[in-house]
Amino acid sequence: MKYPLYLFLLLLSVCTSAGAKPPKATPYSAYLFAYFTGNDKKEEAIRFALSPDGYHYTALNGNRPVVSSAAISETGGVRDPHILRGADGKTFYMVATDMVSAKGWSSNRGMVLLRSTDLINWKSSAINFQKRYAGQENLKRVWAPQTIYDAKAGKYLVYFSLQYGSEPDKIYYAYANKDFTDLEGEPKQLFFSPTNGSCIDGDIVAKDGKYYLFFKTEGQGNGIKIAVSDKLTEGYVLRDKYVQQTTNPVEGAGTFKLNNSDDYILMYDMYTSGRYQFTRTQDLQNFTVVDQDISMNFHPRHGTVLPLTSAEAARLAARWMNPSDVLLNSANPAIRKNNTVVDSARRQGKLRCSARHQPASLRFATQHPLPCP
């Protein structure tokens, strides 16, 4: 690969942000979307996509898995991947539901923990709760794990929903061990629903000294609600309002902060409609649909987004992206086809930029060249 592929993504970012306010200092300039694609066993695997702005996403590896489900799971399938940057800034953690849905929605008993230092090579451990803990005979399922760093405890907290017998799904947590290969201690309930309704797909956002727990309710009104606490592991108070901006069924809330902005994106899986909805918020109370600005060349299911540095995005692009993927699927009208030449067979591209974009593009090419084959 003789041309830095991520240059195309950088140009898209420059075009999208033209006229924006001066950015705040941040080391991040791109985004990684980890997702799966459906209920067939071949679709129950971790896939990645890149975005320069949090709005326009391009699948990596031709929308094929980037990690083998068979190699990391007990069931042969994984769903609901959540990806997190570690407190050291350079270690990455991923968790996923260990499940093949064809075996039944109450068939799985565990999750997968993964760790990486480069986002490409992952070490993994599968945890079966019935094998790991005593007294789990009535456990029916373990769903949608996620991870957050507990600075006070100095540990990574993994939270997930469990269902026992005829009880509703409830959100629990446990701390991961130092190597992120196992859980420490017995799972404890994290959120206590005042209605004792089913709660799944938890997603915690830390903002201004508070913790915002997004989750899906089921059985007593279906949708996404938020509970708020001053403490990570207790005291969550439910807000009554549903926050999804659609009447269609939704699940898998995922929230991430936009680079160079005080705003957040709340996205969720409209699983019966075959698409995602993206909303934007500054206060985590009021949400505005921004679907008109979103583009993807794939159809994701329940996943999460991680901010990236330009070097990390370049490394992922070098490993898994074709130049034609970006150009053919970009929704940004500022990139004109007559400014680009793509040779897909040789996996390289040439860019003829206008003067307005050329300096930034050339700077990136000089500072972050990608390796040649």
Side-chain angles (χ1 to χ4, degrees):
M1 183 163 22
K2 297 180 179 179
Y3 193 79
L5 296 178
Y6 190 67
L7 180 55
F8 292 107
L9 286 174
L10 178 72
L11 178 59
L12 179 58
S13 180
V14 171
C15 294
T16 303
S17 61
K21 295 180 180 179
K24 296 181 179 180
T26 176
Y28 308 121
S29 58
Y31 304 82
L32 173 63
F33 191 172
Y35 60 96
F36 77 108
T37 56
N39 296 334
D40 186 275
K41 187 176 180 179
K42 292 183 294 185
E43 298 173 319
E44 292 172 321
I46 297 168
R47 291 164 165 83
F48 282 171
L50 276 181
S51 171
D53 57 5
Y55 283 74
H56 303 88
Y57 291 86
T58 301
L60 296 179
N61 199 32
N63 197 32
R64 296 183 295 273
V66 296
V67 179
S68 167
S69 293
I72 65 174
S73 68
E74 281 194 355
T75 64
V78 296
R79 302 166 61 93
D80 322 315
H82 176 265
I83 190 165
L84 175 75
R85 183 185 299 273
D88 63 2
K90 58 185 180 181
T91 306
F92 302 92
Y93 302 92
M94 194 156 50
V95 288
T97 306
D98 190 341
M99 179 178 181
V100 171
S101 60
K103 297 179 181 179
W105 295 112
S106 297
S107 65
N108 88 302
R109 303 293 184 265
M111 65 176 73
V112 178
L113 276 60
L114 302 100
R115 180 177 178 177
S116 174
T117 56
D118 61 6
L119 294 168
I120 295 173
N121 302 288
W122 295 86
K123 295 181 179 180
S124 66
S125 299
I127 300 176
N128 183 308
F129 277 55
Q130 289 183 326
K131 296 177 181 178
R132 174 68 176 81
Y133 299 106
Q136 300 289 313
E137 293 80 10
N138 292 327
L139 177 65
K140 295 175 65 176
R141 58 195 184 206
V142 182
W143 277 4
Q146 296 204 174
T147 307
I148 187 171
Y149 182 66
D150 185 341
K152 186 175 181 180
K155 298 180 180 181
Y156 291 93
L157 182 145
V158 183
Y159 53 103
F160 39 84
S161 64
L162 302 178
Q163 186 190 22
Y164 292 93
S166 60
E167 288 291 310
D169 301 85
K170 299 175 183 179
I171 299 176
Y172 288 76
Y173 76 93
Y175 286 102
N177 65 4
K178 183 178 179 180
D179 297 327
F180 207 73
T181 58
D182 197 2
L183 300 178
E184 297 180 345
E186 296 279 340
K188 299 179 181 179
Q189 191 169 343
L190 179 69
F191 173 64
F192 294 81
S193 169
T195 65
N196 198 36
S198 178
C199 303
I200 63 172
D201 297 350
D203 179 47
I204 298 176
V205 179
K207 181 180 185 297
D208 299 331
K210 293 185 180 296
Y211 297 95
Y212 295 78
L213 171 62
F214 292 75
F215 65 94
K216 180 189 177 183
T217 66
E218 288 189 319
Q220 299 177 356
N222 300 340
I224 297 169
K225 286 192 173 184
I226 303 174
V228 185
S229 178
D230 296 327
K231 299 179 180 179
L232 177 59
T233 60
E234 61 181 322
Y236 285 92
V237 177
L238 180 65
R239 289 178 175 174
D240 186 58
K241 179 182 176 182
Y242 283 104
V243 298
Q244 74 272 13
Q245 302 298 301
T246 176
T247 57
N248 294 322
V250 299
E251 65 183 16
T255 313
F256 63 95
K257 192 175 186 296
L258 288 168
N259 300 331
N260 306 316
S261 174
D262 292 327
D263 289 4
Y264 293 78
I265 293 292
L266 165 64
M267 61 182 193
Y268 36 81
D269 182 0
M270 298 172 63
Y271 58 98
T272 63
S273 305
R275 66 185 184 89
Y276 250 73
Q277 182 160 84
F278 278 59
T279 67
R280 185 163 177 160
T281 179
Q282 187 173 86
D283 57 11
L284 301 182
Q285 295 190 64
N286 301 287
F287 301 84
T288 302
V289 174
V290 292
D291 287 351
Q292 69 280 359
D293 300 321
I294 304 300
S295 67
M296 301 177 184
N297 67 336
F298 57 99
H299 297 286
R301 296 293 313 279
H302 186 169
T304 49
V305 170
L306 172 75
L308 296 178
T309 66
S310 58
E312 291 162 352
R315 183 166 63 241
L316 287 164
R319 177 66 178 85
W320 280 310
M321 181 174 282
N322 293 320
S324 57
D325 289 337
V326 179
L327 298 175
L328 296 178
N329 293 290
S330 169
N332 195 309
I335 297 182
R336 295 193 294 258
K337 291 183 179 180
N338 62 1
N339 283 342
T340 59
V341 177
V342 179
D343 185 342
S344 297
R346 296 180 63 189
R347 294 176 60 86
Q348 60 183 326
K350 297 180 180 179
L351 181 65
R352 302 188 185 104
C353 290
S354 66
R356 182 164 65 93
H357 298 134
Q358 197 172 47
S361 300
L362 292 178
R363 280 198 304 273
F364 186 90
T366 301
Q367 295 170 5
H368 302 286
L370 299 185
C372 295

